[in-house]
Amino acid sequence: MKGLELSKRYYMAYGKEMISKSFPALKGRVAAGLAGQGSECLGFDDDISKDHDYGPSFCLWLNREDFEIYGQALMDEYRKLPAEFEGVKGREVSAHGGGRVGVLCIPDFYYSLLGIEDVPENNREWMKIPETALCMATNGEVFEDPLGEFSRIRKGLLHYYPEDVRIKKIAARAAVMAQSGQYNYARAMKRGEYVAAKLALAEFIKSTGSMVYLLNKKYMPFYKWMHRGMKDLTVLPEIGDILNLLAVMEDQSAAWEGVGENDYLYTLNGNDKCVLIIEAICNLALQELTAQGLTEGEDNFLETHTLKIMEKITDPLIRSLQIMEG
């Protein structure tokens, strides 16, 4: 059983009754659900995931006033709930898995993930929050929220980055994709610096994943689940399959044997399959950037498009940031 389904069924079986019977003053004031850290909050958990931080559990979110009055007592009752449920053993908490479920204070929950307690008030605040943090703050499911405070913040975050912030991040990803994949990978291979080449590929893959999420207006999850999540996107989901080809590509060092210092300075080494895959990915990204009105022109080198993308930003503060910031 998926963790989200288990959580909801466990809450409906025990959580609602616990609140109504033991804490009548909180009836209509508690948000319940499961969100935050953990593969189960993304719906990506599987049999491998069940060795830690998996089991019957849910979150109860209270505003600060209610939390200060009832938080500890409610948590004490929560801990008395049956450890096992529908044949599933109690939650095995890992060394860093504590505090993810149970009774939580709404502003503290968001602050622990985002560094702020509410929806960002301006572009600069939005710029400071990593995509992965926003993903954790908005994943999972809210089973019910009669007071609406938890969902108010959640909906504000799900509205996504302001457009100027999204464009700035897209420009930064284009710059890194060009630098790592289209430029430094080949130079490292030419020098025989294979560790540097692998690192360049890793940077390219991560930036490409982020670019695709930004083009979809979806928050990218933690790196472990970045590629898995791309299957559910509507814009450029095929890049996920192409990235997989790049990740499992066999050693390409033979393609660079006998290459001189001046070879492939301004042309591509078509004998290296990774080079060809990188260019194919950049071409797909360029087509979508053009379709979204963020750039124009057919030059496949993404660096040439970064300034054009930056010109689409209307906020002078955001437009003035260094190209790779974001």
Side-chain angles (χ1 to χ4, degrees), residues 206-289:
K206 184 176 181 180
S207 293
T208 297
S210 177
M211 171 70 87
V212 174
Y213 278 93
L214 287 162
L215 292 172
N216 278 271
K217 296 185 178 181
K218 299 287 185 181
Y219 296 125
M220 182 179 73
F222 180 59
Y223 75 87
K224 183 170 67 172
W225 300 113
M226 179 195 78
H227 182 256
R228 166 63 183 82
M230 293 176 75
K231 297 178 182 179
D232 302 325
L233 301 178
T234 57
V235 176
L236 298 177
E238 65 271 25
I239 284 185
D241 295 330
I242 302 173
L243 286 178
N244 198 59
L245 292 176
L246 188 60
V248 301
M249 183 59 62
E250 66 271 15
D251 174 42
Q252 295 295 298
S253 57
W256 297 91
E257 291 178 0
V259 171
E261 291 183 0
N262 295 322
D263 293 333
Y264 306 117
L265 284 178
Y266 305 106
T267 58
L268 302 177
N269 182 353
N271 294 319
D272 186 321
K273 295 177 183 178
C274 289
V275 169
L276 299 180
I277 292 174
I278 288 168
E279 290 303 312
I281 289 171
C282 290
N283 183 259
L284 287 171
L286 177 58
Q287 291 180 45
E288 184 59 32
L289 289 168

Coordinates of all heavy atoms in Angstrom, one line a residue, residues 206-289:
K206 N 21.5 17.6 -13.9 CA 20.7 18.2 -12.9 C 20.1 19.5 -13.4 O 18.9 19.8 -13.1 CB 21.6 18.5 -11.7 CG 20.9 19.1 -10.5 CD 21.8 19.3 -9.3 CE 21.0 19.9 -8.1 NZ 21.9 20.1 -6.9
S207 N 20.8 20.3 -14.1 CA 20.3 21.6 -14.7 C 19.3 21.4 -15.7 O 18.3 22.1 -15.8 CB 21.5 22.4 -15.2 OG 22.3 22.8 -14.2
T208 N 19.4 20.3 -16.5 CA 18.4 20.0 -17.5 C 17.1 19.6 -16.8 O 16.0 20.0 -17.2 CB 18.9 18.8 -18.4 OG1 20.1 19.3 -19.1 CG2 17.8 18.4 -19.4
G209 N 17.2 18.8 -15.8 CA 16.0 18.4 -15.1 C 15.3 19.6 -14.5 O 14.0 19.7 -14.7
S210 N 16.0 20.5 -13.9 CA 15.4 21.7 -13.4 C 14.8 22.5 -14.5 O 13.7 23.1 -14.3 CB 16.5 22.5 -12.6 OG 15.9 23.7 -12.1
M211 N 15.5 22.7 -15.6 CA 14.9 23.4 -16.7 C 13.6 22.9 -17.1 O 12.6 23.6 -17.4 CB 15.9 23.4 -17.9 CG 15.4 23.9 -19.2 SD 15.2 25.7 -19.2 CE 16.8 26.2 -19.7
V212 N 13.5 21.5 -17.2 CA 12.2 20.9 -17.7 C 11.1 21.2 -16.7 O 10.0 21.6 -17.0 CB 12.4 19.4 -17.9 CG1 11.0 18.8 -18.2 CG2 13.4 19.2 -19.1
Y213 N 11.4 21.1 -15.4 CA 10.4 21.4 -14.4 C 10.0 22.9 -14.5 O 8.8 23.2 -14.4 CB 10.9 21.1 -13.0 CG 10.8 19.7 -12.6 CD1 11.8 18.8 -12.8 CD2 9.6 19.2 -12.0 CE1 11.7 17.4 -12.4 CE2 9.5 17.8 -11.7 CZ 10.6 17.0 -11.9 OH 10.5 15.6 -11.5
L214 N 10.9 23.8 -14.6 CA 10.6 25.2 -14.8 C 9.7 25.5 -16.0 O 8.8 26.3 -15.9 CB 11.9 26.0 -14.8 CG 12.7 26.2 -13.5 CD1 14.1 26.6 -13.8 CD2 12.0 27.1 -12.6
L215 N 10.0 24.8 -17.1 CA 9.2 25.0 -18.3 C 7.8 24.4 -18.1 O 6.8 24.8 -18.8 CB 9.9 24.3 -19.5 CG 11.2 25.0 -19.9 CD1 11.9 24.2 -21.0 CD2 10.9 26.4 -20.5
N216 N 7.6 23.5 -17.2 CA 6.3 22.9 -16.8 C 5.6 23.7 -15.7 O 4.5 23.4 -15.4 CB 6.5 21.5 -16.4 CG 6.5 20.5 -17.5 OD1 5.5 20.0 -18.0 ND2 7.8 20.2 -18.0
K217 N 6.3 24.7 -15.1 CA 5.8 25.4 -13.9 C 5.5 24.4 -12.8 O 4.4 24.5 -12.2 CB 4.6 26.3 -14.3 CG 4.9 27.4 -15.3 CD 3.8 28.3 -15.6 CE 4.2 29.4 -16.5 NZ 3.0 30.3 -16.8
K218 N 6.4 23.5 -12.6 CA 6.3 22.6 -11.5 C 7.6 22.6 -10.6 O 8.7 22.7 -11.2 CB 6.1 21.1 -12.0 CG 4.8 20.9 -12.8 CD 3.6 21.0 -12.0 CE 2.3 20.6 -12.8 NZ 1.1 20.7 -11.9
Y219 N 7.4 22.4 -9.3 CA 8.6 22.4 -8.5 C 9.4 21.1 -8.6 O 8.8 20.0 -8.5 CB 8.3 22.6 -7.0 CG 7.6 24.0 -6.8 CD1 6.4 24.1 -6.1 CD2 8.3 25.2 -7.1 CE1 5.8 25.3 -5.9 CE2 7.7 26.4 -6.9 CZ 6.5 26.5 -6.2 OH 5.9 27.7 -6.0
M220 N 10.7 21.2 -8.8 CA 11.5 19.9 -8.9 C 11.7 19.3 -7.5 O 12.1 20.0 -6.6 CB 12.8 20.3 -9.5 CG 13.8 19.1 -9.7 SD 15.3 19.6 -10.5 CE 16.2 20.4 -9.1
P221 N 11.5 18.0 -7.4 CA 11.8 17.3 -6.2 C 13.2 17.1 -5.9 O 14.1 17.4 -6.7 CB 11.0 16.0 -6.3 CG 11.0 15.7 -7.8 CD 10.9 17.1 -8.4
F222 N 13.5 16.6 -4.7 CA 14.9 16.2 -4.3 C 15.5 15.4 -5.4 O 14.9 14.6 -6.0 CB 14.7 15.4 -3.0 CG 16.0 14.9 -2.4 CD1 17.0 15.8 -2.0 CD2 16.1 13.5 -2.1 CE1 18.1 15.3 -1.4 CE2 17.3 13.0 -1.5 CZ 18.3 13.9 -1.2
Y223 N 16.9 15.6 -5.5 CA 17.6 15.0 -6.7 C 17.3 13.5 -6.9 O 17.2 13.0 -8.0 CB 19.1 15.2 -6.6 CG 19.8 14.4 -5.6 CD1 20.3 13.1 -5.9 CD2 20.0 14.8 -4.3 CE1 20.9 12.3 -5.0 CE2 20.7 14.0 -3.3 CZ 21.1 12.7 -3.7 OH 21.8 12.0 -2.8
K224 N 17.1 12.8 -5.8 CA 16.8 11.3 -6.0 C 15.6 11.0 -6.8 O 15.5 10.0 -7.4 CB 16.7 10.7 -4.6 CG 16.6 9.2 -4.6 CD 16.7 8.6 -3.2 CE 15.6 8.9 -2.3 NZ 15.7 8.2 -1.0
W225 N 14.6 12.0 -6.7 CA 13.3 11.7 -7.4 C 13.1 12.7 -8.6 O 12.0 12.7 -9.1 CB 12.2 11.9 -6.3 CG 12.3 10.9 -5.2 CD1 12.6 11.2 -3.9 CD2 12.2 9.5 -5.3 NE1 12.6 10.1 -3.2 CE2 12.4 9.0 -4.0 CE3 11.9 8.6 -6.3 CZ2 12.3 7.6 -3.7 CZ3 11.9 7.3 -6.1 CH2 12.1 6.8 -4.8
M226 N 14.1 13.4 -8.9 CA 14.0 14.4 -10.0 C 13.6 13.7 -11.3 O 12.6 14.0 -12.0 CB 15.3 15.1 -10.2 CG 15.3 16.1 -11.4 SD 16.9 16.7 -11.9 CE 17.5 15.3 -12.9
H227 N 14.3 12.6 -11.6 CA 14.1 11.9 -12.9 C 12.8 11.2 -12.9 O 12.0 11.2 -13.8 CB 15.2 10.9 -13.2 CG 15.1 10.2 -14.5 ND1 14.7 8.9 -14.6 CD2 15.3 10.6 -15.8 CE1 14.6 8.5 -15.8 NE2 15.0 9.5 -16.6
R228 N 12.5 10.5 -11.7 CA 11.2 9.8 -11.6 C 10.0 10.7 -11.8 O 9.0 10.4 -12.5 CB 11.1 9.1 -10.2 CG 9.7 8.7 -9.8 CD 9.2 7.6 -10.8 NE 7.9 7.2 -10.4 CZ 6.7 7.8 -10.7 NH1 6.8 8.9 -11.5 NH2 5.5 7.4 -10.4
G229 N 10.1 11.9 -11.3 CA 9.0 12.9 -11.4 C 8.8 13.4 -12.8 O 7.7 13.9 -13.2
M230 N 9.8 13.4 -13.7 CA 9.7 13.9 -15.0 C 8.7 13.1 -15.9 O 8.2 13.6 -16.8 CB 11.1 13.9 -15.7 CG 12.0 14.9 -15.1 SD 13.7 14.8 -15.8 CE 13.4 15.7 -17.4
K231 N 8.4 11.8 -15.5 CA 7.5 11.0 -16.2 C 6.1 11.6 -16.1 O 5.2 11.3 -17.0 CB 7.5 9.6 -15.6 CG 8.8 8.8 -15.8 CD 8.7 7.5 -15.1 CE 10.0 6.7 -15.2 NZ 10.0 5.4 -14.6
D232 N 5.8 12.4 -15.1 CA 4.4 12.9 -14.9 C 4.3 14.3 -15.5 O 3.2 14.9 -15.4 CB 4.1 12.9 -13.4 CG 4.2 11.5 -12.8 OD1 3.9 10.6 -13.4 OD2 4.7 11.5 -11.6
L233 N 5.3 14.8 -16.1 CA 5.2 16.2 -16.7 C 4.6 16.1 -18.1 O 4.6 15.1 -18.8 CB 6.6 16.8 -16.7 CG 7.3 16.9 -15.4 CD1 8.7 17.5 -15.6 CD2 6.5 17.8 -14.4
T234 N 4.0 17.3 -18.5 CA 3.3 17.3 -19.8 C 4.2 18.0 -20.8 O 4.1 17.7 -22.0 CB 2.0 18.1 -19.7 OG1 2.3 19.4 -19.1 CG2 1.0 17.4 -18.7
V235 N 5.1 18.8 -20.4 CA 6.1 19.5 -21.3 C 7.4 18.8 -21.3 O 8.0 18.7 -20.3 CB 6.2 21.0 -21.0 CG1 7.2 21.7 -21.9 CG2 4.9 21.7 -21.1
L236 N 7.9 18.3 -22.5 CA 9.2 17.7 -22.6 C 9.4 16.5 -21.7 O 10.5 16.3 -21.2 CB 10.3 18.7 -22.4 CG 10.3 19.9 -23.4 CD1 11.5 20.8 -23.0 CD2 10.5 19.4 -24.8
P237 N 8.4 15.6 -21.5 CA 8.7 14.4 -20.7 C 9.7 13.5 -21.3 O 10.4 12.7 -20.7 CB 7.3 13.8 -20.5 CG 6.6 14.2 -21.8 CD 7.0 15.6 -22.0
E238 N 9.8 13.6 -22.7 CA 10.7 12.8 -23.4 C 12.2 13.0 -23.0 O 13.0 12.1 -23.2 CB 10.6 12.9 -24.9 CG 10.9 14.3 -25.5 CD 9.7 15.3 -25.5 OE1 8.8 15.1 -24.7 OE2 9.7 16.2 -26.3
I239 N 12.5 14.2 -22.5 CA 13.9 14.5 -22.1 C 14.3 13.6 -20.9 O 15.4 13.2 -20.8 CB 14.0 16.0 -21.7 CG1 14.1 16.8 -22.9 CG2 15.3 16.2 -20.9 CD1 14.3 18.3 -22.7
G240 N 13.3 13.1 -20.1 CA 13.6 12.2 -19.1 C 14.2 10.9 -19.6 O 15.2 10.3 -19.1
D241 N 13.6 10.4 -20.7 CA 14.1 9.2 -21.3 C 15.5 9.4 -21.9 O 16.3 8.5 -21.9 CB 13.1 8.7 -22.4 CG 11.8 8.3 -21.9 OD1 11.7 7.8 -20.7 OD2 10.8 8.5 -22.6
I242 N 15.7 10.5 -22.5 CA 17.0 10.8 -23.2 C 18.1 11.0 -22.1 O 19.2 10.5 -22.3 CB 16.9 12.1 -24.0 CG1 15.8 11.9 -25.1 CG2 18.2 12.4 -24.7 CD1 15.5 13.2 -25.9
L243 N 17.7 11.6 -21.0 CA 18.7 11.7 -19.9 C 19.1 10.3 -19.4 O 20.2 10.1 -19.0 CB 18.1 12.5 -18.7 CG 18.0 14.0 -18.9 CD1 17.4 14.7 -17.7 CD2 19.4 14.6 -19.1
N244 N 18.2 9.4 -19.4 CA 18.5 8.0 -19.0 C 19.5 7.4 -19.9 O 20.4 6.7 -19.5 CB 17.2 7.1 -18.9 CG 17.4 5.9 -18.1 OD1 17.7 6.0 -16.9 ND2 17.3 4.7 -18.7
L245 N 19.4 7.7 -21.2 CA 20.4 7.2 -22.2 C 21.7 7.8 -21.9 O 22.8 7.1 -21.9 CB 20.0 7.6 -23.6 CG 18.7 6.9 -24.2 CD1 18.4 7.5 -25.5 CD2 18.9 5.4 -24.3
L246 N 21.8 9.0 -21.5 CA 23.0 9.7 -21.2 C 23.7 9.1 -19.9 O 24.9 8.9 -19.9 CB 22.8 11.2 -21.0 CG 24.0 12.1 -20.8 CD1 24.9 12.0 -22.1 CD2 23.6 13.5 -20.6
A247 N 22.8 8.8 -19.0 CA 23.3 8.3 -17.7 C 23.9 6.9 -17.8 O 24.9 6.6 -17.1 CB 22.2 8.2 -16.7
V248 N 23.4 6.1 -18.7 CA 23.9 4.7 -18.9 C 24.9 4.5 -20.0 O 25.3 3.4 -20.4 CB 22.8 3.7 -19.0 CG1 21.9 3.8 -17.8 CG2 21.9 3.9 -20.2
M249 N 25.2 5.6 -20.7 CA 26.1 5.6 -21.8 C 27.5 4.9 -21.5 O 28.1 5.2 -20.5 CB 26.3 7.0 -22.4 CG 27.2 7.0 -23.7 SD 26.4 6.0 -25.0 CE 24.9 6.8 -25.3
E250 N 27.9 4.1 -22.4 CA 29.2 3.4 -22.2 C 30.4 4.4 -22.3 O 30.2 5.5 -22.8 CB 29.4 2.3 -23.2 CG 29.5 2.7 -24.6 CD 28.2 2.8 -25.3 OE1 27.2 2.7 -24.6 OE2 28.2 2.8 -26.6
D251 N 31.6 4.0 -21.9 CA 32.7 4.9 -21.9 C 33.0 5.4 -23.3 O 33.0 4.7 -24.3 CB 34.0 4.1 -21.4 CG 35.2 4.9 -21.6 OD1 35.2 6.1 -21.2 OD2 36.2 4.3 -22.1
Q252 N 33.2 6.7 -23.4 CA 33.4 7.4 -24.7 C 34.8 7.9 -25.0 O 35.1 8.6 -25.9 CB 32.4 8.6 -24.8 CG 30.9 8.2 -24.8 CD 30.6 7.4 -26.1 OE1 30.7 7.9 -27.2 NE2 30.1 6.2 -25.9
S253 N 35.7 7.4 -24.1 CA 37.1 7.9 -24.2 C 37.7 7.6 -25.6 O 38.6 8.3 -26.1 CB 37.9 7.3 -23.1 OG 37.9 5.9 -23.1
A254 N 37.3 6.5 -26.2 CA 37.9 6.1 -27.5 C 37.6 7.1 -28.6 O 38.4 7.3 -29.5 CB 37.4 4.7 -27.9
A255 N 36.5 7.8 -28.4 CA 36.1 8.9 -29.4 C 37.1 10.0 -29.4 O 37.0 10.9 -30.3 CB 34.7 9.3 -29.1
W256 N 37.9 10.1 -28.4 CA 38.8 11.3 -28.3 C 40.3 10.9 -28.5 O 41.2 11.7 -28.4 CB 38.6 11.9 -26.9 CG 37.2 12.5 -26.7 CD1 36.2 11.8 -26.2 CD2 36.8 13.8 -27.1 NE1 35.0 12.6 -26.3 CE2 35.4 13.8 -26.8 CE3 37.4 14.9 -27.7 CZ2 34.6 14.9 -27.1 CZ3 36.6 16.0 -28.0 CH2 35.3 16.0 -27.7
E257 N 40.5 9.7 -28.8 CA 41.9 9.2 -29.1 C 42.4 9.9 -30.3 O 41.8 9.9 -31.4 CB 41.9 7.7 -29.2 CG 41.7 7.0 -27.9 CD 41.7 5.4 -28.1 OE1 41.9 5.0 -29.2 OE2 41.4 4.7 -27.1
G258 N 43.6 10.4 -30.2 CA 44.3 11.1 -31.4 C 43.8 12.5 -31.7 O 44.2 13.1 -32.7
V259 N 42.9 13.0 -30.8 CA 42.4 14.3 -31.1 C 43.4 15.4 -30.7 O 44.0 15.3 -29.6 CB 41.1 14.5 -30.3 CG1 40.6 16.0 -30.3 CG2 40.0 13.6 -30.8
G260 N 43.6 16.3 -31.5 CA 44.6 17.4 -31.3 C 44.0 18.5 -30.5 O 42.8 18.6 -30.3
E261 N 44.9 19.5 -30.1 CA 44.4 20.6 -29.3 C 43.5 21.5 -30.0 O 42.6 22.1 -29.4 CB 45.7 21.4 -28.8 CG 46.5 20.7 -27.8 CD 47.7 21.6 -27.4 OE1 47.8 22.8 -27.8 OE2 48.5 21.2 -26.5
N262 N 43.6 21.6 -31.3 CA 42.8 22.5 -32.1 C 41.6 21.8 -32.8 O 40.8 22.4 -33.4 CB 43.6 23.2 -33.2 CG 44.7 24.1 -32.6 OD1 44.4 24.7 -31.6 ND2 45.8 24.1 -33.2
D263 N 41.5 20.5 -32.6 CA 40.3 19.7 -33.1 C 39.1 20.0 -32.3 O 39.1 20.1 -31.1 CB 40.6 18.2 -33.1 CG 41.7 17.8 -34.1 OD1 41.9 18.6 -35.1 OD2 42.4 16.8 -33.8
Y264 N 38.0 20.2 -33.0 CA 36.7 20.4 -32.3 C 36.6 21.6 -31.5 O 35.9 21.7 -30.5 CB 36.3 19.1 -31.5 CG 36.3 17.9 -32.3 CD1 37.2 16.8 -32.0 CD2 35.5 17.7 -33.4 CE1 37.2 15.7 -32.7 CE2 35.5 16.5 -34.1 CZ 36.4 15.5 -33.8 OH 36.5 14.3 -34.5
L265 N 37.3 22.7 -31.9 CA 37.2 23.9 -31.1 C 35.9 24.6 -31.4 O 35.2 25.1 -30.5 CB 38.3 24.9 -31.5 CG 39.7 24.6 -30.9 CD1 40.7 25.6 -31.4 CD2 39.7 24.6 -29.4
Y266 N 35.4 24.5 -32.6 CA 34.2 25.1 -33.0 C 33.2 24.2 -33.7 O 32.2 24.6 -34.3 CB 34.4 26.3 -33.9 CG 35.4 27.3 -33.3 CD1 36.7 27.4 -33.8 CD2 35.0 28.1 -32.3 CE1 37.6 28.3 -33.2 CE2 35.9 29.0 -31.7 CZ 37.2 29.1 -32.2 OH 38.1 30.0 -31.6
T267 N 33.5 22.9 -33.6 CA 32.6 21.9 -34.1 C 32.4 20.8 -33.1 O 33.1 20.7 -32.1 CB 33.2 21.2 -35.4 OG1 34.5 20.7 -35.1 CG2 33.4 22.3 -36.5
L268 N 31.4 19.9 -33.3 CA 31.1 18.8 -32.4 C 31.9 17.6 -32.8 O 32.0 17.2 -34.0 CB 29.6 18.6 -32.4 CG 28.7 19.7 -32.1 CD1 27.3 19.3 -32.2 CD2 29.0 20.3 -30.7
N269 N 32.3 16.8 -31.8 CA 32.9 15.5 -32.0 C 31.7 14.5 -32.0 O 31.3 14.0 -31.0 CB 33.8 15.2 -30.9 CG 34.5 13.8 -31.1 OD1 34.2 13.1 -32.0 ND2 35.5 13.5 -30.2
G270 N 31.3 14.3 -33.3 CA 30.1 13.4 -33.5 C 30.4 11.9 -33.1 O 29.5 11.1 -33.1
N271 N 31.7 11.6 -32.9 CA 32.0 10.2 -32.5 C 31.7 10.0 -31.0 O 31.7 8.8 -30.6 CB 33.5 10.0 -32.8 CG 33.9 10.0 -34.2 OD1 33.1 9.5 -35.1 ND2 35.0 10.6 -34.6
D272 N 31.5 11.0 -30.3 CA 31.2 10.9 -28.9 C 29.6 10.9 -28.7 O 29.0 12.0 -29.0 CB 31.8 12.0 -28.0 CG 31.6 11.8 -26.5 OD1 30.5 11.4 -26.1 OD2 32.5 12.1 -25.8
K273 N 29.0 9.8 -28.4 CA 27.6 9.7 -28.3 C 27.0 10.7 -27.3 O 25.9 11.2 -27.4 CB 27.1 8.3 -28.0 CG 27.5 7.3 -29.1 CD 27.1 5.9 -28.8 CE 27.5 4.9 -29.8 NZ 27.2 3.5 -29.5
C274 N 27.8 10.9 -26.2 CA 27.3 11.9 -25.2 C 27.1 13.3 -25.8 O 26.2 14.0 -25.4 CB 28.2 11.9 -24.0 SG 28.2 10.4 -23.0
V275 N 28.1 13.7 -26.6 CA 28.0 15.0 -27.2 C 26.7 15.1 -28.0 O 26.0 16.1 -28.0 CB 29.2 15.2 -28.1 CG1 29.0 16.4 -29.0 CG2 30.5 15.4 -27.3
L276 N 26.4 14.1 -28.8 CA 25.2 14.1 -29.6 C 23.9 14.1 -28.8 O 23.0 14.9 -29.1 CB 25.2 12.8 -30.5 CG 26.3 12.7 -31.5 CD1 26.2 11.4 -32.3 CD2 26.4 13.9 -32.4
I277 N 23.9 13.4 -27.7 CA 22.7 13.4 -26.8 C 22.6 14.8 -26.2 O 21.4 15.3 -26.1 CB 22.8 12.3 -25.7 CG1 22.7 10.9 -26.4 CG2 21.8 12.5 -24.7 CD1 23.0 9.8 -25.4
I278 N 23.6 15.4 -25.7 CA 23.6 16.7 -25.1 C 23.0 17.7 -26.1 O 22.1 18.5 -25.7 CB 25.0 17.1 -24.7 CG1 25.4 16.3 -23.4 CG2 25.0 18.6 -24.4 CD1 26.9 16.5 -23.1
E279 N 23.5 17.7 -27.3 CA 23.0 18.6 -28.3 C 21.5 18.4 -28.6 O 20.7 19.3 -28.8 CB 23.8 18.5 -29.6 CG 25.2 19.0 -29.5 CD 25.2 20.5 -29.1 OE1 24.5 21.3 -29.6 OE2 26.0 20.8 -28.1
A280 N 21.1 17.1 -28.6 CA 19.7 16.8 -28.9 C 18.8 17.4 -27.8 O 17.7 17.9 -28.0 CB 19.4 15.3 -29.0
I281 N 19.3 17.2 -26.5 CA 18.5 17.8 -25.4 C 18.4 19.3 -25.4 O 17.4 19.9 -25.2 CB 19.2 17.3 -24.1 CG1 19.0 15.8 -23.8 CG2 18.6 18.1 -22.9 CD1 19.7 15.2 -22.7
C282 N 19.5 19.9 -25.7 CA 19.6 21.4 -25.8 C 18.7 21.9 -26.9 O 18.0 22.9 -26.8 CB 21.0 21.9 -26.0 SG 22.0 21.7 -24.6
N283 N 18.6 21.1 -28.0 CA 17.7 21.5 -29.1 C 16.2 21.4 -28.7 O 15.4 22.3 -29.0 CB 17.9 20.6 -30.3 CG 17.1 21.0 -31.5 OD1 16.1 20.4 -31.8 ND2 17.5 22.1 -32.2
L284 N 15.9 20.4 -28.0 CA 14.5 20.3 -27.5 C 14.2 21.4 -26.5 O 13.1 22.0 -26.6 CB 14.3 18.9 -26.8 CG 14.2 17.7 -27.7 CD1 14.3 16.4 -26.9 CD2 13.0 17.7 -28.6
A285 N 15.1 21.7 -25.6 CA 14.9 22.8 -24.7 C 14.7 24.1 -25.4 O 13.9 25.0 -25.1 CB 16.1 22.9 -23.7
L286 N 15.6 24.3 -26.5 CA 15.5 25.6 -27.2 C 14.2 25.7 -27.9 O 13.6 26.8 -28.0 CB 16.6 25.6 -28.3 CG 16.7 26.8 -29.2 CD1 16.7 28.1 -28.4 CD2 17.8 26.7 -30.2
Q287 N 13.6 24.6 -28.5 CA 12.3 24.7 -29.1 C 11.2 25.1 -28.2 O 10.4 25.9 -28.5 CB 12.0 23.3 -29.7 CG 12.9 22.9 -30.9 CD 12.5 21.6 -31.5 OE1 11.3 21.2 -31.6 NE2 13.5 20.7 -31.8
E288 N 11.3 24.6 -26.9 CA 10.3 24.9 -26.0 C 10.5 26.4 -25.5 O 9.5 27.1 -25.2 CB 10.3 23.9 -24.8 CG 9.2 24.2 -23.8 CD 7.8 24.1 -24.3 OE1 7.6 23.3 -25.3 OE2 6.9 24.8 -23.8
L289 N 11.7 26.8 -25.3 CA 12.0 28.2 -24.9 C 11.4 29.1 -25.9 O 10.8 30.2 -25.6 CB 13.5 28.4 -24.7 CG 14.1 27.7 -23.5 CD1 15.6 27.8 -23.6 CD2 13.7 28.4 -22.2

